[in-house]
Amino acid sequence: MLRYLPFLLVLAMWIYAFIDCLNTPENEVRKLPKGAWVLIIVLFGYVLFGSLAWFLAGRPRRAAAGGTARSFGGRGGGRWVAPDDNPDFLKSLDQNRERERDEDHGPDENRG
């Protein structure tokens, strides 16, 4: 059973590289067009060349963990920020709270 482990690891890496390449947006792929990367991964996957080439040269670089924080629900190069740590989200909560308070109290009640 152990003799099949290298084959299974190569197969798993090939499948992961193939799916990762297909799911990567065209404008984020580096060095070659996306179709060329798919062909390289498919043709040279069994010797690990295609998968390794994709991971080292073609795959988009991920943002570092210490990068700039993105807003809640935002996409892009920054790291994900929890809603309770996101200043934009907290500001929107304050604005919603003020709007609800103004709606609950009529214009006459806000004076006193």
Side-chain angles (χ1 to χ4, degrees):
M1 186 68 176
L2 199 55
R3 63 183 168 194
Y4 297 117
L5 185 62
F7 172 75
L8 292 176
L9 290 176
V10 169
L11 181 65
M13 189 169 167
W14 178 80
I15 291 171
Y16 181 78
F18 183 70
I19 292 173
D20 187 49
C21 182
L22 290 178
N23 287 332
T24 302
E26 179 77 34
N27 61 346
E28 293 182 14
V29 175
R30 297 186 300 153
K31 308 288 185 192
L32 295 172
K34 186 174 177 177
W37 280 115
V38 170
L39 284 175
I40 289 172
I41 292 170
V42 169
L43 294 177
F44 300 106
Y46 63 95
V47 290
L48 279 182
F49 172 74
S51 301
L52 288 177
W54 166 250
F55 290 127
L56 296 176
R59 187 175 196 204
R61 289 200 171 111
R62 304 292 183 218
T68 60
R70 304 294 288 184
S71 63
F72 176 68
R75 295 181 52 89
R79 62 184 175 92
W80 183 83
V81 177
D84 56 341
D85 292 336
N86 186 334
D88 295 333
F89 180 74
L90 295 174
K91 188 185 308 181
S92 72
L93 287 178
D94 290 337
Q95 291 171 349
N96 289 343
R97 191 176 306 128
E98 288 177 16
R99 190 175 338 119
E100 288 176 3
R101 186 175 48 223
D102 290 343
E103 289 174 0
D104 289 343
H105 302 292
D108 296 331
E109 296 178 15
N110 284 339
R111 292 184 183 175

